Amino acid sequence: MAPLAPVGALLCLSCLLLLAPSLSAAASAECGRNTSLAGHEADLRMSQHQLRGRVAVLDGCSFRVSSLDLLAGSADARWWRADGADLAALSRGSPAAPDPLNRTFASESLVFRLLPGLSWPLVPVLAAFDPLTSSLFGFVRLATSNTTSEPSKAAVGTSSTEEPTMFASCAQLSPRLRVRWTLREAANAIDVGLEAAVGSEYYMAFGWADPRRSTTNVSMIGADVAVAGFTEEGLPFADDYFVTKYSECLLRGDGGAEGVCPDTFYDRRNGSAAGDASVNNTRLVYGHRRDGVSFVRFSRPLASPDKRYDVAVNATREMTVIWAIGLLRQPDLLRPYYLPLNHGAPAGTAYGFLTLNVSAATNGCPGPLDAEDKEDQGRITAERQTPLVVTTGPALHYPNPPNPQKVLYINKKEAPLLKVERGVPVTFSVEAGHDVPLYITSDPVGGNATARHASEVIYAGDPTAEGVPATPTELVWLPDRNTPDLVYYQSLYDPKMGWKIQVVDGGLSDMYNNSVLLDDQQVTFFWTLSGDSINIAARGEKKSGYIAIGFGGAMVNSYAYVGWVDGNGTGHVNSYWIDGKDGMSVHETHENLTYKRCRSENGVIIFEFTRPLTPSCSGRVECKNIIDPSTPLKVIWAMGSQWSSGRLSVKNMHSVTSNRPVRILLLSGLAEAVEDLRPVLAVHGFMMFVAWGLLLPGGIVAARYLKHVKGDLWFQAHTYLQYSGLAVMFMGVLFAVAELRGFSFKSTHAKIGAIAFTFTCMQPVNAYLRPDRAENGEILPRNRIIWEYLHTYTGRAALVAAVTALFTGLQHLGHRYGSKTIKGLTCGLVVWVVSAVLVVAYLEYMKVKRRRDGADGLTHKFVLGNTEEDDSVDLLQSDRFDSKIDSSSPGSMEVQLEPLKG
């Protein structure tokens, strides 16, 4: 692999600088010659560092960059020459000019000279590049024609390309927002670019006010605006909106809309298609997020055919424009658009008005926008005893271009910014592949700096720190007090696959004894049990306006705690009881919360509080919010863009929430997601009911209550039902073992079920070892009597254990999965057992009655397969011996009847 930013190129630069005086004469002669590129102009394509400018070739060895905007790079940043703009081509490149790009350039026009010995055919791509971090700021492609003594007339001043980030004019709307535009009057269009140093969750709105209103009475009502921003997937959007009311977009009951709504919403009653070009006249051209700055370019007509919701732009006179920035509402089924929320205050910062003549070229934007938070990547905070899963995936939004096609993912996030705490072990579960070993390094490029003849400090990892999902490798790293504030996680073999690690002093992980990631790994829950109270903290893993955690299996009928920071930067933590799904169902409570703190770190909300385990109150709904550390606590979460004290509305609804609760064992510090009832376990329960609710009890009933029926029907029914029940029971056990991947006897249900299973399996063995019965007239042998008692009472014990296992199984499912049908199933099973008991009581009554009537003695003899054995007698009855003795007396009794003689 070609080395990145070779040291040889930097040494070459130093040598050339030393030889510059001796080569100045030759260089001057060379520059005196003309070139076919003289007069060639092209816009710089922005990659990062807010690079803008227009490059013009002056002669054979110099070029001018006009309106140059650039945020400062390192001391090694230079104008760079390469044969392409990809990672490999830039790695093979070298400096093109000696001037460093280590400062901020603010709309400057400067002339740069190529290094001695260079000519334009050797510079097919001119890039602003930082070899220290292998960072591409931007580039321009130049023609590669050979230098000639006479310029080509076709080439002089005719080559011109325009990048989507370049415009003819610019105006500063607020310290964080700019508008750029290029008028294309001949095409009846104007291209507009909105640029704001805000988070990706913010919208940018710009448009023209109603021209019928006077300039002294400017209003947003009747304004035609474009709302631009980025979706949660990072894709830009720009849509046409119309303002009818000072409110968020609301859908009326008659199908109409009011507020700040897309143009397409207003024509729903008339059946207009959402994609009708006569309604939505804003066309997205380009958009990106760079260095914490949102940029969206769109085009709109000057005079639109939509006369109702579009304002015609007069290109030659001054008109009033309006603008705003604020948070976005996520789309839903009723409103499939990203809708702007109330921009808030103050004027001049969050919204405002401006008089603008689009035909008057102006540049009121001094220098590049410099956002305070330049990090757009996902953020992950490493927690004690929580492994970070490292995999690979496609490079979609890598923060430091150029980059390879494949980069590292941590917990399913692309090259996130990782935050660790000194003194807290960090565990990586490496599953990125055998060719991607992970290591922690001081080198921002990675890929083994030694191979590039560069120095680095390796803090953890080596060639053995590789693995795949089937056999992951665990890498444990302990940052200490000597670890720098900034290091990098990278691949040992390939460059620029990882990103930054921020190393900070101890925080929540050191302050709390336990922590778990809640569902979807978007919120981390911390807690410490302290006597009769509990200390709780919650931290989001993405930017939001507020975070809420709730105790319960679902949002409805849950106790919630919400943390947010208001417009003044003050943090709040409040408690609520939720009994519905609208704003009116969220009721603020007065729990005894102490040590409340809430803050925002780069848009991520963190809040903490302490509360008693058992509230010391009565009569209020929050008094029932008891936390029992010995009982699993179900925790859910939600995030949204805006929260406030007092009356809540639809704007406070969450934009993202957990899909299911997480069950937390507060004493042990363990947690598991509440799962839906697995279908295989449902089959297990059904088969066990068939076996122990129908077949096996039926066999027992046949053996006890059908012996009075002629023939051996009772024996056949008993045998077939028992073996059928045994087979179904085996299948049910196998289903459960296969789904749970092994045996587990931790639950009461499993223990009782094992007892029932053991007793049941004893019965076939017991039947096989059955002793022979005595011959007619003989007393039963002792081993036969013992066998009959053992066989009978073992079966009855198995039945009792099995019925108990059925009930404990339903209880276990209800506790583990929270199924809403468990209560009904339990009631149904109770009814079934009671009905069976009543049937058995009736059969027992009939059996006793037959015995009293003499119909259940030995008046019938039934042969069960052979003539030597008679199992028709119930050996557990008290009168069986008398019957046997009478029937076996020697001789025969004869009664002779003679007529009476009178």
Side-chain angles (χ1 to χ4, degrees):
M1 174 175 291
L4 293 176
V7 175
L10 298 179
L11 294 175
C12 179
L13 172 60
S14 302
C15 294
L16 289 173
L17 291 176
L18 293 174
L19 294 174
S22 63
L23 296 176
S24 59
S28 300
E30 181 67 21
C31 287
R33 299 177 58 190
N34 218 329
T35 174
S36 61
L37 285 178
H40 176 87
E41 295 186 6
D43 292 333
L44 285 163
R45 178 177 300 177
M46 182 194 298
S47 295
Q48 56 179 318
H49 278 240
Q50 296 301 299
L51 176 65
R52 280 188 176 88
R54 190 165 183 82
V55 174
V57 177
L58 300 180
D59 52 35
C61 62
S62 63
F63 61 97
R64 181 181 63 246
V65 182
S66 57
S67 301
L68 175 60
D69 283 350
L70 178 66
L71 296 175
S74 75
D76 293 324
R78 293 288 191 278
W79 291 110
W80 200 261
R81 68 181 184 93
D83 55 9
D86 58 281
L87 181 60
L90 290 168
S91 302
R92 297 189 298 267
S94 61
D99 307 86
L101 303 177
N102 60 346
R103 68 177 180 89
T104 296
F105 295 85
S107 303
E108 301 178 34
S109 183
L110 301 171
V111 175
F112 300 92
R113 295 181 66 84
L114 298 179
L115 285 168
L118 289 183
S119 59
W120 290 114
L122 301 177
V123 191
V125 171
L126 180 66
F129 184 69
D130 189 345
L132 180 65
T133 58
S134 190
S135 299
L136 176 64
F137 302 160
F139 66 94
V140 63
R141 296 185 183 275
L142 302 172
T144 57
S145 303
N146 291 329
T147 303
T148 59
S149 58
E150 294 294 333
S152 171
K153 293 183 179 180
V156 176
T158 60
S159 176
S160 178
T161 58
E162 183 182 65
E163 289 297 323
T165 56
M166 297 295 293
F167 293 84
S169 301
C170 181
Q172 187 91 20
L173 300 177
S174 80
R176 296 189 298 169
L177 178 64
R178 293 174 176 177
V179 60
R180 300 176 184 268
W181 71 93
T182 296
L183 180 63
R184 296 186 289 117
E185 194 169 2
N188 184 37
I190 182 172
D191 288 349
V192 179
L194 295 178
E195 182 181 34
V198 295
S200 58
E201 69 274 19
Y202 280 75
Y203 69 85
M204 303 172 289
F206 176 83
W208 278 261
D210 187 350
R212 295 171 294 182
R213 294 180 179 269
S214 65
T215 56
T216 59
N217 186 25
V218 180
S219 172
M220 289 189 177
I221 303 300
D224 172 23
V225 298
V227 176
F230 290 83
T231 67
E232 284 193 319
E233 293 76 26
L235 300 177
F237 69 88
D239 289 306
D240 196 1
Y241 281 66
F242 188 76
V243 182
T244 60
K245 186 179 179 181
Y246 283 111
S247 72
E248 298 158 17
C249 185
L250 300 175
L251 300 180
R252 299 196 303 263
D254 60 359
E258 61 183 12
V260 184
C261 300
D263 288 6
T264 54
F265 275 34
Y266 295 108
D267 277 343
R268 284 189 169 188
R269 287 178 299 176
N270 302 328
S272 291
D276 190 349
S278 65
V279 176
N280 187 3
N281 293 311
T282 298
R283 181 177 63 87
L284 175 68
V285 176
Y286 175 80
H288 70 221
R289 286 276 305 172
R290 300 280 192 273
D291 313 301
V293 176
S294 295
F295 174 80
V296 176
R297 180 172 183 151
F298 60 90
S299 177
R300 58 151 293 168
L302 296 174
S304 171
D306 182 3
K307 305 301 181 183
R308 292 175 297 175
Y309 306 120
D310 284 352
V311 172
V313 179
N314 190 322
T316 60
R317 72 180 182 88
E318 291 185 341
M319 298 184 67
T320 301
V321 296
I322 64 173
W323 59 268
I325 53 177
L327 293 170
L328 277 168
R329 175 188 298 283
Q330 307 298 319
D332 52 36
L333 294 177
L334 295 178
R335 293 168 290 193
Y337 279 84
Y338 283 84
L339 299 176
L341 296 172
N342 193 321
H343 50 69
T349 300
Y351 72 97
F353 306 89
L354 182 70
T355 301
L356 194 65
N357 185 344
V358 297
S359 62
T362 179
N363 184 13
C365 304
L369 272 180
D370 192 0
E372 294 182 3
D373 181 12
K374 297 180 175 61
E375 191 64 58
D376 263 352
Q377 292 302 102
R379 289 173 166 82
I380 293 179
T381 301
E383 305 297 345
R384 192 189 306 268
Q385 299 178 349
T386 302
L388 302 172
V389 180
V390 182
T391 57
T392 56
L396 303 177
H397 304 287
Y398 190 75
N400 184 25
N403 50 270
Q405 295 182 349
K406 184 174 68 172
V407 298
L408 294 177
Y409 280 60
I410 296 182
N411 288 356
K412 301 181 181 180
K413 293 183 178 181
E414 178 188 359
L417 175 65
L418 185 59
K419 184 178 180 180
V420 302
E421 298 172 355
R422 292 181 176 88
V424 178
V426 182
T427 303
F428 297 91
S429 177
V430 186
E431 306 174 5
H434 295 304
D435 58 341
V436 188
L438 180 73
Y439 80 127
I440 311 301
T441 173
S442 62
D443 181 27
V445 178
N448 191 356
T450 305
R452 295 182 279 110
H453 307 288
S455 62
E456 69 175 342
V457 178
I458 297 178
Y459 300 96
D462 54 39
T464 64
E466 47 82 13
V468 294
T471 56
T473 296
E474 189 175 89
L475 173 64
V476 180
W477 169 47
L478 179 62
D480 56 28
R481 56 179 301 183
N482 297 319
T483 306
D485 291 341
L486 182 63
V487 294
Y488 301 85
Y489 62 92
Q490 297 284 3
S491 166
L492 188 61
Y493 297 148
D494 298 303
K496 299 190 72 174
M497 291 189 67
W499 192 227
K500 299 176 181 178
I501 302 178
Q502 288 183 349
V503 184
V504 299
D505 292 331
L508 294 177
S509 296
D510 294 331
M511 295 165 57
Y512 293 87
N513 294 340
N514 305 280
S515 66
V516 297
L517 278 169
L518 300 183
D519 185 46
D520 291 338
Q521 299 184 347
Q522 300 290 342
V523 174
T524 304
F525 181 79
F526 302 85
W527 77 95
T528 296
L529 292 171
S530 177
D532 57 356
S533 63
I534 181 172
N535 306 317
I536 294 176
R539 180 185 62 218
E541 300 300 332
K542 62 183 292 186
K543 296 180 180 180
S544 64
Y546 71 84
I547 290 181
I549 59 171
F551 296 161
M555 179 181 69
V556 180
N557 296 327
S558 69
Y559 295 95
Y561 303 89
V562 182
W564 79 98
V565 177
D566 61 23
N568 298 322
T570 304
H572 302 269
V573 179
N574 280 0
S575 59
Y576 299 87
W577 162 251
I578 304 176
D579 57 6
K581 295 186 177 181
D582 55 13
M584 300 296 295
S585 302
V586 181
H587 312 285
E588 185 173 354
T589 60
H590 301 282
E591 289 193 35
N592 183 22
L593 304 184
T594 57
Y595 301 103
K596 297 187 296 183
R597 290 182 293 179
C598 182
R599 64 187 184 275
S600 176
E601 295 182 357
N602 299 321
V604 172
I605 300 295
I606 302 171
F607 71 88
E608 306 170 70
F609 64 91
T610 299
R611 56 148 291 176
L613 295 174
T614 302
S616 56
C617 65
S618 61
R620 301 195 304 267
V621 63
E622 62 266 26
C623 302
K624 300 179 181 179
N625 186 13
I626 299 174
I627 296 179
D628 183 0
S630 63
T631 302
L633 179 67
K634 294 181 180 179
V635 182
I636 57 178
W637 62 266
M639 293 184 188
S641 57
Q642 188 175 359
W643 196 265
S644 60
S645 298
R647 185 182 180 89
L648 301 175
S649 64
V650 67
K651 67 181 180 181
N652 304 119
M653 295 298 288
H654 54 71
S655 58
V656 60
T657 183
S658 54
N659 294 316
R660 56 187 177 180
V662 169
R663 185 186 296 106
I664 299 176
L665 303 176
L666 297 174
L667 290 176
S668 63
L670 301 177
E672 61 179 352
V674 176
E675 301 174 344
D676 294 327
L677 178 59
R678 301 178 187 178
V680 176
L681 295 183
V683 173
H684 162 79
F686 176 76
M687 297 184 78
M688 287 305 184
F689 174 76
V690 171
W692 282 108
L694 297 173
L695 299 176
L696 292 170
I700 296 175
V701 169
R704 181 162 180 80
Y705 300 112
L706 295 183
K707 290 182 179 180
H708 66 282
V709 180
K710 186 176 182 180
D712 60 350
L713 174 64
W714 75 268
F715 186 81
Q716 294 182 14
H718 175 71
T719 304
Y720 294 151
L721 287 174
Q722 296 300 91
Y723 280 111
S724 298
L726 192 63
V728 173
M729 183 189 67
F730 265 109
M731 293 175 61
V733 171
L734 291 178
F735 271 104
V737 171
E739 179 66 14
L740 298 177
R741 300 181 181 180
F743 290 94
S744 175
F745 300 101
K746 295 181 179 179
S747 65
T748 303
H749 169 69
K751 294 175 182 177
I752 298 176
I755 295 174
F757 182 84
T758 302
F759 283 172
T760 306
C761 292
M762 289 173 57
Q763 293 301 80
V765 178
N766 196 343
Y768 179 79
L769 299 176
R770 179 180 59 180
D772 293 334
R773 290 197 56 175
E775 297 292 339
N776 289 337
E778 295 182 2
I779 299 176
L780 288 175
R782 182 178 182 84
N783 60 347
R784 174 71 184 203
I785 297 174
I786 295 175
W787 174 87
E788 289 185 357
Y789 275 100
L790 180 64
H791 183 69
T792 301
Y793 285 104
T794 301
R796 293 175 181 176
L799 178 61
V800 173
V803 172
T804 306
L806 290 177
F807 281 103
T808 58
L810 288 176
Q811 183 183 17
H812 181 68
L813 289 179
H815 178 70
R816 184 177 181 87
Y817 299 103
S819 177
K820 298 179 180 179
T821 60
I822 295 300
K823 192 172 184 179
L825 292 175
T826 304
C827 293
L829 183 60
V830 170
V831 172
W832 177 262
V833 172
V834 171
S835 301
V837 170
L838 293 176
V839 170
V840 169
Y842 173 76
L843 293 175
E844 191 69 22
Y845 167 77
M846 295 302 297
K847 182 179 180 67
V848 171
K849 184 178 180 182
R850 284 193 302 272
R851 186 181 301 119
R852 289 176 178 175
D853 296 339
D856 199 22
L858 291 178
T859 56
H860 306 286
K861 294 194 184 265
F862 308 123
V863 179
L864 305 178
N866 63 71
T867 59
E868 298 178 358
E869 223 174 275
D870 181 6
D871 285 334
S872 61
V873 180
D874 189 344
L875 299 176
L876 299 179
Q877 299 301 320
S878 58
D879 58 344
R880 58 185 176 87
F881 293 108
D882 296 338
S883 300
K884 270 292 183 182
I885 293 174
D886 293 341
S887 63
S888 59
S889 298
S892 60
M893 180 180 291
E894 292 183 359
V895 178
Q896 186 175 11
L897 300 178
E898 294 181 0
L900 295 174
K901 293 181 181 180

